[in-house]
Tab-separated table of all heavy atoms in Angstrom:
chain	number	residue	atom	x	y	z
A	1	MET	N	-62.649	89.961	142.357
A	1	MET	CA	-63.717	90.928	142.522
A	1	MET	C	-64.835	90.200	143.262
A	1	MET	O	-65.245	89.131	142.858
A	1	MET	CB	-64.183	91.473	141.219
A	1	MET	CG	-63.095	92.203	140.415
A	1	MET	SD	-62.315	93.533	141.347
A	1	MET	CE	-63.167	94.967	140.867
A	2	THR	N	-65.322	90.831	144.203
A	2	THR	CA	-66.429	90.371	144.992
A	2	THR	C	-67.517	91.459	145.136
A	2	THR	O	-67.263	92.620	144.826
A	2	THR	CB	-66.025	89.881	146.375
A	2	THR	OG1	-65.584	91.005	147.070
A	2	THR	CG2	-64.940	88.854	146.329
A	3	CYS	N	-68.721	91.071	145.587
A	3	CYS	CA	-69.760	92.061	145.855
A	3	CYS	C	-69.253	93.087	146.827
A	3	CYS	O	-69.589	94.319	146.682
A	3	CYS	CB	-70.971	91.350	146.317
A	3	CYS	SG	-71.768	90.331	145.124
A	4	ASN	N	-68.414	92.611	147.846
A	4	ASN	CA	-68.006	93.566	148.782
A	4	ASN	C	-67.021	94.603	148.293
A	4	ASN	O	-66.945	95.705	148.668
A	4	ASN	CB	-67.366	92.752	150.028
A	4	ASN	CG	-68.392	92.169	150.874
A	4	ASN	OD1	-69.536	92.585	150.939
A	4	ASN	ND2	-68.001	91.101	151.581
A	5	SER	N	-66.211	94.216	147.333
A	5	SER	CA	-65.232	95.125	146.702
A	5	SER	C	-65.992	96.196	145.930
A	5	SER	O	-65.610	97.391	145.950
A	5	SER	CB	-64.178	94.489	145.810
A	5	SER	OG	-64.801	93.820	144.787
A	6	PHE	N	-67.032	95.796	145.256
A	6	PHE	CA	-67.876	96.789	144.534
A	6	PHE	C	-68.577	97.709	145.548
A	6	PHE	O	-68.743	98.908	145.275
A	6	PHE	CB	-68.913	96.101	143.622
A	6	PHE	CG	-68.342	95.550	142.345
A	6	PHE	CD1	-68.260	94.194	142.176
A	6	PHE	CD2	-67.839	96.396	141.408
A	6	PHE	CE1	-67.717	93.627	141.012
A	6	PHE	CE2	-67.271	95.860	140.302
A	6	PHE	CZ	-67.229	94.560	140.047
A	7	ARG	N	-69.117	97.134	146.545
A	7	ARG	CA	-69.810	97.932	147.629
A	7	ARG	C	-68.815	98.948	148.241
A	7	ARG	O	-69.108	100.104	148.333
A	7	ARG	CB	-70.328	97.045	148.752
A	7	ARG	CG	-71.076	97.786	149.800
A	7	ARG	CD	-71.744	96.873	150.736
A	7	ARG	NE	-72.956	96.455	150.085
A	7	ARG	CZ	-73.977	95.959	150.723
A	7	ARG	NH1	-73.951	95.828	152.031
A	7	ARG	NH2	-75.097	95.574	150.177
A	8	GLY	N	-67.510	98.498	148.488
A	8	GLY	CA	-66.547	99.409	149.054
A	8	GLY	C	-66.186	100.493	148.094
A	8	GLY	O	-66.035	101.726	148.509
A	9	THR	N	-66.037	100.198	146.839
A	9	THR	CA	-65.768	101.219	145.853
A	9	THR	C	-66.891	102.289	145.655
A	9	THR	O	-66.688	103.457	145.655
A	9	THR	CB	-65.532	100.551	144.443
A	9	THR	OG1	-64.417	99.688	144.484
A	9	THR	CG2	-65.262	101.612	143.361
A	10	GLY	N	-68.108	101.743	145.682
A	10	GLY	CA	-69.305	102.652	145.583
A	10	GLY	C	-69.385	103.575	146.818
A	10	GLY	O	-69.703	104.763	146.632
A	11	ILE	N	-69.223	103.040	148.048
A	11	ILE	CA	-69.344	103.826	149.263
A	11	ILE	C	-68.220	104.858	149.248
A	11	ILE	O	-68.442	106.065	149.558
A	11	ILE	CB	-69.292	102.915	150.487
A	11	ILE	CG1	-70.641	102.120	150.571
A	11	ILE	CG2	-69.135	103.713	151.736
A	11	ILE	CD1	-70.707	101.091	151.624
A	12	THR	N	-67.017	104.427	148.937
A	12	THR	CA	-65.867	105.320	149.034
A	12	THR	C	-66.052	106.515	148.015
A	12	THR	O	-65.857	107.693	148.347
A	12	THR	CB	-64.576	104.560	148.715
A	12	THR	OG1	-64.382	103.548	149.729
A	12	THR	CG2	-63.300	105.580	148.714
A	13	ASN	N	-66.502	106.115	146.789
A	13	ASN	CA	-66.789	107.150	145.819
A	13	ASN	C	-67.854	108.150	146.196
A	13	ASN	O	-67.635	109.371	146.022
A	13	ASN	CB	-67.131	106.451	144.418
A	13	ASN	CG	-67.112	107.373	143.264
A	13	ASN	OD1	-67.779	108.363	143.292
A	13	ASN	ND2	-66.539	106.995	142.166
A	14	PHE	N	-68.848	107.574	146.739
A	14	PHE	CA	-70.004	108.447	147.303
A	14	PHE	C	-69.558	109.437	148.311
A	14	PHE	O	-69.835	110.583	148.247
A	14	PHE	CB	-71.031	107.569	147.865
A	14	PHE	CG	-72.307	108.340	148.440
A	14	PHE	CD1	-73.176	108.882	147.635
A	14	PHE	CD2	-72.390	108.401	149.833
A	14	PHE	CE1	-74.289	109.556	148.173
A	14	PHE	CE2	-73.440	109.034	150.370
A	14	PHE	CZ	-74.358	109.628	149.543
A	15	LEU	N	-68.693	109.020	149.280
A	15	LEU	CA	-68.162	109.806	150.285
A	15	LEU	C	-67.190	110.797	149.795
A	15	LEU	O	-67.117	111.945	150.274
A	15	LEU	CB	-67.575	108.930	151.468
A	15	LEU	CG	-68.542	108.087	152.189
A	15	LEU	CD1	-67.797	107.086	153.130
A	15	LEU	CD2	-69.548	108.824	152.914
A	16	GLN	N	-66.323	110.465	148.786
A	16	GLN	CA	-65.332	111.394	148.186
A	16	GLN	C	-66.093	112.489	147.503
A	16	GLN	O	-65.555	113.598	147.393
A	16	GLN	CB	-64.481	110.644	147.181
A	16	GLN	CG	-63.428	109.787	147.829
A	16	GLN	CD	-62.632	108.977	146.799
A	16	GLN	OE1	-63.179	108.583	145.815
A	16	GLN	NE2	-61.384	108.783	147.037
A	17	HIS	N	-67.274	112.291	147.048
A	17	HIS	CA	-67.937	113.353	146.294
A	17	HIS	C	-69.070	113.995	147.102
A	17	HIS	O	-69.976	114.601	146.563
A	17	HIS	CB	-68.548	112.748	145.009
A	17	HIS	CG	-67.495	112.356	144.024
A	17	HIS	ND1	-66.909	111.077	144.022
A	17	HIS	CD2	-66.910	113.072	143.078
A	17	HIS	CE1	-66.046	111.041	143.042
A	17	HIS	NE2	-66.010	112.234	142.481
A	18	GLY	N	-68.799	114.046	148.419
A	18	GLY	CA	-69.674	114.875	149.289
A	18	GLY	C	-70.809	114.210	149.974
A	18	GLY	O	-71.508	114.842	150.689
A	19	GLY	N	-70.955	112.848	149.790
A	19	GLY	CA	-71.976	112.187	150.516
A	19	GLY	C	-71.678	111.989	151.918
A	19	GLY	O	-70.535	112.107	152.337
A	20	ASP	N	-72.668	111.768	152.779
A	20	ASP	CA	-72.388	111.589	154.162
A	20	ASP	C	-72.636	110.077	154.519
A	20	ASP	O	-73.316	109.359	153.790
A	20	ASP	CB	-73.277	112.497	154.997
A	20	ASP	CG	-74.731	112.236	154.803
A	20	ASP	OD1	-75.360	111.401	155.471
A	20	ASP	OD2	-75.357	112.882	153.933
A	21	ILE	N	-72.105	109.643	155.616
A	21	ILE	CA	-72.144	108.324	156.041
A	21	ILE	C	-73.484	107.693	156.269
A	21	ILE	O	-73.833	106.597	156.059
A	21	ILE	CB	-71.065	108.079	157.221
A	21	ILE	CG1	-70.757	106.559	157.363
A	21	ILE	CG2	-71.705	108.613	158.513
A	21	ILE	CD1	-69.753	106.062	156.334
A	22	GLU	N	-74.335	108.625	156.845
A	22	GLU	CA	-75.696	108.266	157.211
A	22	GLU	C	-76.561	107.863	155.914
A	22	GLU	O	-77.213	106.871	155.815
A	22	GLU	CB	-76.473	109.360	157.984
A	22	GLU	CG	-75.900	109.462	159.396
A	22	GLU	CD	-74.682	110.395	159.471
A	22	GLU	OE1	-74.345	111.059	158.458
A	22	GLU	OE2	-74.023	110.317	160.505
A	23	THR	N	-76.324	108.670	154.884
A	23	THR	CA	-77.033	108.430	153.658
A	23	THR	C	-76.443	107.131	152.940
A	23	THR	O	-77.207	106.404	152.353
A	23	THR	CB	-76.843	109.645	152.674
A	23	THR	OG1	-77.350	110.859	153.344
A	23	THR	CG2	-77.612	109.407	151.381
A	24	ALA	N	-75.169	106.946	153.055
A	24	ALA	CA	-74.481	105.797	152.511
A	24	ALA	C	-75.031	104.564	153.157
A	24	ALA	O	-75.316	103.567	152.500
A	24	ALA	CB	-72.930	105.887	152.636
A	25	ALA	N	-75.184	104.625	154.469
A	25	ALA	CA	-75.748	103.477	155.242
A	25	ALA	C	-77.164	103.185	154.771
A	25	ALA	O	-77.537	102.014	154.583
A	25	ALA	CB	-75.703	103.768	156.719
A	26	ARG	N	-77.969	104.198	154.540
A	26	ARG	CA	-79.332	104.036	154.148
A	26	ARG	C	-79.379	103.426	152.751
A	26	ARG	O	-80.192	102.498	152.458
A	26	ARG	CB	-80.032	105.374	154.223
A	26	ARG	CG	-81.556	105.223	154.117
A	26	ARG	CD	-82.357	106.506	154.497
A	26	ARG	NE	-81.919	107.633	153.707
A	26	ARG	CZ	-81.269	108.669	154.181
A	26	ARG	NH1	-80.921	108.750	155.434
A	26	ARG	NH2	-80.935	109.755	153.407
A	27	ILE	N	-78.559	103.900	151.846
A	27	ILE	CA	-78.445	103.487	150.453
A	27	ILE	C	-78.131	101.971	150.440
A	27	ILE	O	-78.708	101.153	149.649
A	27	ILE	CB	-77.493	104.264	149.552
A	27	ILE	CG1	-78.094	105.637	149.322
A	27	ILE	CG2	-77.232	103.594	148.211
A	27	ILE	CD1	-76.997	106.602	148.748
A	28	THR	N	-77.186	101.588	151.239
A	28	THR	CA	-76.644	100.206	151.191
A	28	THR	C	-77.433	99.218	152.109
A	28	THR	O	-77.239	98.086	152.034
A	28	THR	CB	-75.142	100.139	151.683
A	28	THR	OG1	-75.092	100.784	153.019
A	28	THR	CG2	-74.296	100.876	150.670
A	29	GLY	N	-78.419	99.771	152.882
A	29	GLY	CA	-79.230	98.932	153.667
A	29	GLY	C	-78.619	98.462	154.997
A	29	GLY	O	-79.059	97.530	155.547
A	30	HIS	N	-77.599	99.218	155.415
A	30	HIS	CA	-76.959	98.898	156.723
A	30	HIS	C	-77.765	99.507	157.791
A	30	HIS	O	-78.295	100.609	157.751
A	30	HIS	CB	-75.539	99.483	156.735
A	30	HIS	CG	-74.567	98.849	155.823
A	30	HIS	ND1	-73.503	99.497	155.235
A	30	HIS	CD2	-74.525	97.649	155.368
A	30	HIS	CE1	-72.823	98.702	154.429
A	30	HIS	NE2	-73.494	97.503	154.490
A	31	ALA	N	-77.902	98.681	158.857
A	31	ALA	CA	-78.677	99.128	160.118
A	31	ALA	C	-77.832	100.095	160.887
A	31	ALA	O	-78.390	100.949	161.564
A	31	ALA	CB	-79.084	97.891	160.821
A	32	SER	N	-76.502	100.007	160.770
A	32	SER	CA	-75.617	100.867	161.507
A	32	SER	C	-74.572	101.516	160.681
A	32	SER	O	-74.082	100.939	159.696
A	32	SER	CB	-74.931	99.952	162.530
A	32	SER	OG	-73.851	100.694	163.202
A	33	THR	N	-74.261	102.776	160.923
A	33	THR	CA	-73.185	103.445	160.127
A	33	THR	C	-71.819	102.825	160.470
A	33	THR	O	-70.893	102.896	159.637
A	33	THR	CB	-73.138	104.977	160.463
A	33	THR	OG1	-72.942	105.124	161.864
A	33	THR	CG2	-74.402	105.649	160.032
A	34	ARG	N	-71.665	102.113	161.523
A	34	ARG	CA	-70.456	101.442	161.816
A	34	ARG	C	-70.126	100.389	160.735
A	34	ARG	O	-68.929	100.192	160.393
A	34	ARG	CB	-70.462	100.785	163.229
A	34	ARG	CG	-70.578	101.851	164.326
A	34	ARG	CD	-70.489	101.194	165.677
A	34	ARG	NE	-69.071	100.977	165.924
A	34	ARG	CZ	-68.552	100.372	166.980
A	34	ARG	NH1	-69.437	99.987	167.939
A	34	ARG	NH2	-67.369	100.100	167.153
A	35	THR	N	-71.121	99.629	160.262
A	35	THR	CA	-70.960	98.675	159.228
A	35	THR	C	-70.544	99.397	157.934
A	35	THR	O	-69.624	98.969	157.281
A	35	THR	CB	-72.158	97.914	158.992
A	35	THR	OG1	-72.644	97.316	160.197
A	35	THR	CG2	-72.050	96.880	157.889
A	36	THR	N	-71.097	100.564	157.674
A	36	THR	CA	-70.803	101.275	156.430
A	36	THR	C	-69.362	101.750	156.541
A	36	THR	O	-68.622	101.762	155.469
A	36	THR	CB	-71.740	102.483	156.266
A	36	THR	OG1	-73.196	101.960	156.292
A	36	THR	CG2	-71.598	103.139	154.922
A	37	GLN	N	-68.920	102.194	157.684
A	37	GLN	CA	-67.548	102.726	157.834
A	37	GLN	C	-66.541	101.631	157.496
A	37	GLN	O	-65.405	102.034	157.048
A	37	GLN	CB	-67.392	103.226	159.238
A	37	GLN	CG	-68.146	104.567	159.484
A	37	GLN	CD	-68.111	104.916	160.982
A	37	GLN	OE1	-67.836	104.154	161.845
A	37	GLN	NE2	-68.558	106.215	161.225
A	38	LEU	N	-66.864	100.420	157.662
A	38	LEU	CA	-65.878	99.367	157.318
A	38	LEU	C	-65.585	99.366	155.773
A	38	LEU	O	-64.506	98.930	155.454
A	38	LEU	CB	-66.499	98.005	157.635
A	38	LEU	CG	-66.743	97.725	159.148
A	38	LEU	CD1	-67.499	96.406	159.319
A	38	LEU	CD2	-65.440	97.679	159.895
A	39	TYR	N	-66.497	99.880	154.969
A	39	TYR	CA	-66.289	99.901	153.527
A	39	TYR	C	-65.647	101.284	153.086
A	39	TYR	O	-65.360	101.408	151.952
A	39	TYR	CB	-67.613	99.737	152.829
A	39	TYR	CG	-68.127	98.341	152.974
A	39	TYR	CD1	-69.130	98.109	153.987
A	39	TYR	CD2	-67.746	97.307	152.120
A	39	TYR	CE1	-69.631	96.805	154.064
A	39	TYR	CE2	-68.321	95.991	152.297
A	39	TYR	CZ	-69.216	95.763	153.296
A	39	TYR	OH	-69.730	94.552	153.431
A	40	ASP	N	-65.434	102.126	153.999
A	40	ASP	CA	-64.888	103.513	153.639
A	40	ASP	C	-63.434	103.358	153.458
A	40	ASP	O	-62.649	103.208	154.345
A	40	ASP	CB	-65.213	104.492	154.699
A	40	ASP	CG	-64.744	105.882	154.462
A	40	ASP	OD1	-64.160	106.095	153.369
A	40	ASP	OD2	-64.858	106.715	155.355
A	41	ARG	N	-62.959	103.516	152.187
A	41	ARG	CA	-61.486	103.298	151.885
A	41	ARG	C	-60.842	104.544	151.565
A	41	ARG	O	-59.701	104.527	150.981
A	41	ARG	CB	-61.425	102.283	150.704
A	41	ARG	CG	-62.009	100.932	151.073
A	41	ARG	CD	-61.727	99.955	149.968
A	41	ARG	NE	-62.308	98.708	150.349
A	41	ARG	CZ	-63.060	98.017	149.543
A	41	ARG	NH1	-63.279	98.421	148.327
A	41	ARG	NH2	-63.556	96.849	149.917
A	42	ARG	N	-61.296	105.699	151.992
A	42	ARG	CA	-60.719	106.988	151.651
A	42	ARG	C	-59.326	107.085	152.258
A	42	ARG	O	-58.428	107.687	151.649
A	42	ARG	CB	-61.518	108.153	152.138
A	42	ARG	CG	-62.860	108.225	151.387
A	42	ARG	CD	-63.658	109.402	151.814
A	42	ARG	NE	-64.189	108.992	153.164
A	42	ARG	CZ	-64.918	109.886	153.958
A	42	ARG	NH1	-65.151	111.072	153.505
A	42	ARG	NH2	-65.332	109.402	155.058
A	43	ASN	N	-59.079	106.456	153.361
A	43	ASN	CA	-57.720	106.596	154.039
A	43	ASN	C	-56.732	105.541	153.369
A	43	ASN	O	-55.538	105.645	153.679
A	43	ASN	CB	-57.843	106.288	155.517
A	43	ASN	CG	-58.552	107.382	156.234
A	43	ASN	OD1	-58.436	108.498	155.796
A	43	ASN	ND2	-59.222	107.077	157.255
A	44	ASP	N	-57.207	104.653	152.512
A	44	ASP	CA	-56.335	103.659	151.931
A	44	ASP	C	-55.770	104.210	150.581
A	44	ASP	O	-54.949	103.523	149.964
A	44	ASP	CB	-57.151	102.351	151.574
A	44	ASP	CG	-57.626	101.723	152.939
A	44	ASP	OD1	-57.034	102.077	153.886
A	44	ASP	OD2	-58.414	100.770	152.733
A	45	ILE	N	-56.203	105.336	150.144
A	45	ILE	CA	-55.749	105.854	148.805
A	45	ILE	C	-54.375	106.398	148.989
A	45	ILE	O	-54.018	107.225	149.856
A	45	ILE	CB	-56.736	106.946	148.283
A	45	ILE	CG1	-58.088	106.272	148.061
A	45	ILE	CG2	-56.214	107.570	147.014
A	45	ILE	CD1	-59.171	107.259	147.750
A	46	VAL	N	-53.414	105.970	148.102
A	46	VAL	CA	-52.069	106.415	148.094
A	46	VAL	C	-51.890	107.617	147.103
A	46	VAL	O	-52.305	107.457	145.915
A	46	VAL	CB	-51.114	105.201	147.751
A	46	VAL	CG1	-49.688	105.701	147.727
A	46	VAL	CG2	-51.342	104.126	148.636
A	47	ASN	N	-51.330	108.682	147.548
A	47	ASN	CA	-51.119	109.745	146.564
A	47	ASN	C	-49.805	109.712	145.881
A	47	ASN	O	-48.886	108.969	146.297
A	47	ASN	CB	-51.353	111.135	147.340
A	47	ASN	CG	-50.249	111.422	148.281
A	47	ASN	OD1	-49.106	111.080	148.114
A	47	ASN	ND2	-50.652	112.104	149.413
A	48	GLN	N	-49.607	110.478	144.812
A	48	GLN	CA	-48.458	110.404	143.965
A	48	GLN	C	-47.179	110.741	144.769
A	48	GLN	O	-46.174	110.160	144.613
A	48	GLN	CB	-48.589	111.426	142.802
A	48	GLN	CG	-47.477	111.342	141.736
A	48	GLN	CD	-47.424	109.982	141.022
A	48	GLN	OE1	-48.566	109.421	140.884
A	48	GLN	NE2	-46.266	109.654	140.587
A	49	GLY	N	-47.300	111.683	145.730
A	49	GLY	CA	-46.098	112.109	146.530
A	49	GLY	C	-45.576	110.902	147.399
A	49	GLY	O	-44.372	110.794	147.511
A	50	GLU	N	-46.454	110.089	147.864
A	50	GLU	CA	-45.995	108.867	148.651
A	50	GLU	C	-45.206	107.936	147.760
A	50	GLU	O	-44.298	107.337	148.189
A	50	GLU	CB	-47.189	108.253	149.327
A	50	GLU	CG	-47.795	109.155	150.431
A	50	GLU	CD	-49.091	108.626	150.896
A	50	GLU	OE1	-49.563	107.558	150.436
A	50	GLU	OE2	-49.624	109.112	151.891
A	51	ILE	N	-45.737	107.796	146.587
A	51	ILE	CA	-45.148	106.850	145.612
A	51	ILE	C	-43.736	107.344	145.208
A	51	ILE	O	-42.749	106.552	145.120
A	51	ILE	CB	-46.018	106.611	144.388
A	51	ILE	CG1	-47.265	105.908	144.779
A	51	ILE	CG2	-45.306	105.821	143.284
A	51	ILE	CD1	-48.375	105.877	143.786
A	52	GLU	N	-43.583	108.645	144.957
A	52	GLU	CA	-42.291	109.213	144.503
A	52	GLU	C	-41.262	109.153	145.604
A	52	GLU	O	-40.097	109.202	145.345
A	52	GLU	CB	-42.568	110.624	144.059
A	52	GLU	CG	-43.348	110.693	142.723
A	52	GLU	CD	-43.647	112.103	142.338
A	52	GLU	OE1	-43.493	113.095	143.112
A	52	GLU	OE2	-44.312	112.244	141.262
A	53	ARG	N	-41.646	109.085	146.891
A	53	ARG	CA	-40.671	108.885	148.023
A	53	ARG	C	-40.041	107.559	148.016
A	53	ARG	O	-39.041	107.374	148.651
A	53	ARG	CB	-41.406	109.190	149.337
A	53	ARG	CG	-41.517	110.691	149.597
A	53	ARG	CD	-41.855	110.879	151.058
A	53	ARG	NE	-43.181	110.357	151.332
A	53	ARG	CZ	-44.282	111.173	151.470
A	53	ARG	NH1	-44.140	112.431	151.251
A	53	ARG	NH2	-45.425	110.666	151.721
A	54	THR	N	-40.618	106.547	147.289
A	54	THR	CA	-40.042	105.244	147.267
A	54	THR	C	-38.893	105.179	146.385
A	54	THR	O	-38.881	105.602	145.200
A	54	THR	CB	-41.154	104.239	146.770
A	54	THR	OG1	-42.342	104.340	147.596
A	54	THR	CG2	-40.568	102.847	146.808
A	55	ARG	N	-37.772	104.689	146.971
A	55	ARG	CA	-36.540	104.588	146.134
A	55	ARG	C	-36.116	103.193	146.025
A	55	ARG	O	-36.220	102.363	146.936
A	55	ARG	CB	-35.408	105.379	146.822
A	55	ARG	CG	-35.801	106.806	146.949
A	55	ARG	CD	-34.607	107.661	147.439
A	55	ARG	NE	-35.034	109.020	147.759
A	55	ARG	CZ	-34.954	110.009	146.931
A	55	ARG	NH1	-34.531	109.820	145.743
A	55	ARG	NH2	-35.288	111.159	147.258
A	56	PHE	N	-35.646	102.865	144.899
A	56	PHE	CA	-35.208	101.483	144.682
A	56	PHE	C	-33.715	101.421	144.530
A	56	PHE	O	-33.058	102.199	144.151
A	56	PHE	CB	-35.795	100.934	143.303
A	56	PHE	CG	-37.262	100.787	143.370
A	56	PHE	CD1	-38.089	101.876	142.905
A	56	PHE	CD2	-37.830	99.630	143.949
A	56	PHE	CE1	-39.480	101.731	142.922
A	56	PHE	CE2	-39.182	99.614	144.005
A	56	PHE	CZ	-40.064	100.599	143.525
């Protein structure tokens, strides 16, 4: 666990619950929204259907 992992979790959670990237950048003190977007992990979330397709 690092500070960046907590930051990524917080930003992702904020965006999942309706926050916008500009506000997230302002909250985190980023000068650019491009930096904030690096912490946005919404596309990294795996859903149950994807897991169930895995066969062993």
Side-chain angles (χ1 to χ4, degrees):
M1 299 308 260
T2 65
C3 293
N4 286 334
S5 64
F6 284 112
R7 182 173 280 202
T9 299
I11 289 170
T12 300
N13 191 308
F14 177 76
L15 296 171
Q16 284 175 326
H17 290 92
D20 60 88
I21 198 76
E22 290 82 14
T23 303
R26 195 168 55 251
I27 290 169
T28 56
H30 293 150
S32 169
T33 58
R34 294 185 76 182
T35 304
T36 309
Q37 289 171 345
L38 296 173
Y39 292 95
D40 180 3
R41 299 187 181 131
R42 290 177 291 176
N43 292 328
D44 296 346
I45 297 171
V46 178
N47 67 36
Q48 187 68 29
E50 292 172 355
I51 294 171
E52 291 173 353
R53 280 194 289 262
T54 304
R55 299 190 190 266
F56 295 95

